[in-house]
Amino acid sequence: MAELKDFSLYNIDWDLTPEQAVTMYLEWGNNDWTAEYPPVRSKDDVAIYFVVDSWETPPQIRLVQRNSENATDIFSMPLPDELLDDWKATNGNWRGVGAPTPAMKAWLKKQLGQENIDS
């Protein structure tokens, strides 16, 4: 079974949100070449990013690898108790798939040894 630290060398896009990923990979023509995230050119364009799935109880942190053909959860774990209050303070009881909060990103970066990476 994979552990979070196993993904420490992955090129994670810390700023990509689920909404931006949908625009890039699923809504062809919905964004332009001057956007922060320009349209993908082929299935070889890949993004790796974290999401929080609050449909689950407790919410799950998922590491997603996406290209134009599919999105695959390459890692998933329950949101640690120490981050649950932060999630609830930001999102309340909202259910869906959203971006990690800044505190969650800091925690994830620390776990991955990437705390010096700016986002």
Side-chain angles (χ1 to χ4, degrees):
M1 180 156 196
E3 296 181 25
L4 182 56
K5 66 180 180 179
D6 295 336
F7 300 93
S8 63
L9 297 178
Y10 279 55
N11 186 18
I12 297 166
D13 188 331
W14 292 101
D15 296 323
L16 186 63
T17 67
E19 298 85 3
Q20 291 166 325
V22 167
T23 298
M24 283 175 53
Y25 290 96
L26 300 179
E27 300 293 336
W28 289 88
N30 195 27
N31 57 345
D32 65 42
W33 293 101
T34 60
E36 179 181 2
Y37 293 101
V40 297
R41 295 183 183 121
S42 75
K43 66 181 177 184
D44 295 327
D45 289 338
V46 175
I48 299 173
Y49 58 100
F50 281 101
V51 300
V52 179
D53 179 352
S54 64
W55 285 108
E56 307 265 347
T57 303
Q60 300 287 305
I61 296 175
R62 301 190 190 285
L63 183 59
V64 178
Q65 180 172 315
R66 179 182 287 278
N67 68 13
S68 61
E69 293 185 333
N70 61 37
T72 304
D73 292 342
I74 56 177
F75 178 78
S76 181
M77 66 177 279
L79 185 65
D81 290 340
E82 64 195 87
L83 296 173
L84 197 52
D85 287 341
D86 178 64
W87 174 259
K88 288 184 177 182
T90 303
N91 297 287
N93 291 321
W94 177 75
R95 296 176 74 70
V97 177
T101 66
M104 289 177 192
K105 288 181 189 179
W107 184 88
L108 288 163
K109 287 178 183 181
K110 184 175 180 182
Q111 300 306 308
L112 293 167
Q114 296 184 11
E115 55 263 34
N116 294 326
I117 296 175
D118 293 329
S119 58

